[in-house]
Amino acid sequence: MPYLLLLRTGQWFSHLPPALQDELLRSAALRRLQGGERLFNRGDQPCGLYAVVEGAMRVGAVSVNGKEALLTLVEPPYWFGEISLFDGQPRTHDAFAEGPTVLLHVPQPALTALLQREPAYWRDFALLMSQKLRLAFIALEQISLLPAAPRLAQRLLMIADNYGEGDPRRVLHLAQEQLALMLAISRQTTNQILNDLQAQGIVHLTYGEIEIVDLQRLREVARH
């Protein structure tokens, strides 16, 4: 498996029992998407579990009047799709490739058969889902309690930590418009906050990227 070392940098996969890691890899196939290509839409039937191994996936929803809510932009070695594994219900959100993207796909029938044989593995998948639930609660709390600037700083820190998966990084491949959608604040407000952070030497902005220059001071902004 060419992406095995990458997958093992991830918090969830690296802590799985070795036998479960092997089962997932045996059942998996690579899937390649072009930028903007749809993986699934909200309401689609369950199709399995995915890991991002190259590129990035945009997960969110679009209202009937065309307004977009961007929940997250996920990068390697992030796993997603586990909600429909648990309840067998349709997909909760839309998932599109942000650019050329490679996914590892474990089909739903293979997962179901595996869990019927080894029901103890349900706990491992529950840990994947509980990690997402914790992040969702944090995001809801931030929206309710924090002003825009510390909320933006906290989200940058979460992305830099790859939402708890993979190696931390300082350069975030993230457009300002995408960050604004994630935070449900205007593009103008997002731009103003980022420019203020750049003026203070905390971040450096280039087209489609945000570099964290001073991690400690960004954490201080996030606490206020």
Side-chain angles (χ1 to χ4, degrees), residues 129-144:
M129 189 163 65
S130 66
Q131 180 190 31
K132 311 280 183 64
L133 189 58
R134 284 180 180 274
L135 292 173
F137 281 146
I138 290 170
L140 285 172
E141 180 181 330
Q142 291 171 352
I143 290 172
S144 300

Side-chain angles (χ1 to χ4, degrees), residues 65-87:
N65 60 6
K67 185 176 181 181
E68 182 181 5
L70 179 60
L71 298 183
T72 188
L73 192 69
V74 293
E75 299 177 271
Y78 195 92
W79 289 81
F80 65 99
E82 72 283 351
I83 293 176
S84 291
L85 173 64
F86 275 86
D87 61 13

Side-chain angles (χ1 to χ4, degrees), residues 118-165:
E118 301 287 349
Y121 288 154
W122 274 113
R123 181 180 183 276
D124 297 289
F125 292 100
L127 290 174
L128 179 62
M129 189 163 65
S130 66
Q131 180 190 31
K132 311 280 183 64
L133 189 58
R134 284 180 180 274
L135 292 173
F137 281 146
I138 290 170
L140 285 172
E141 180 181 330
Q142 291 171 352
I143 290 172
S144 300
L145 300 179
L146 292 181
R151 182 148 48 102
L152 183 147
Q154 287 200 16
R155 181 56 67 99
L156 290 181
L157 290 170
M158 289 171 69
I159 297 171
D161 194 40
N162 209 8
Y163 297 102
E165 284 290 328

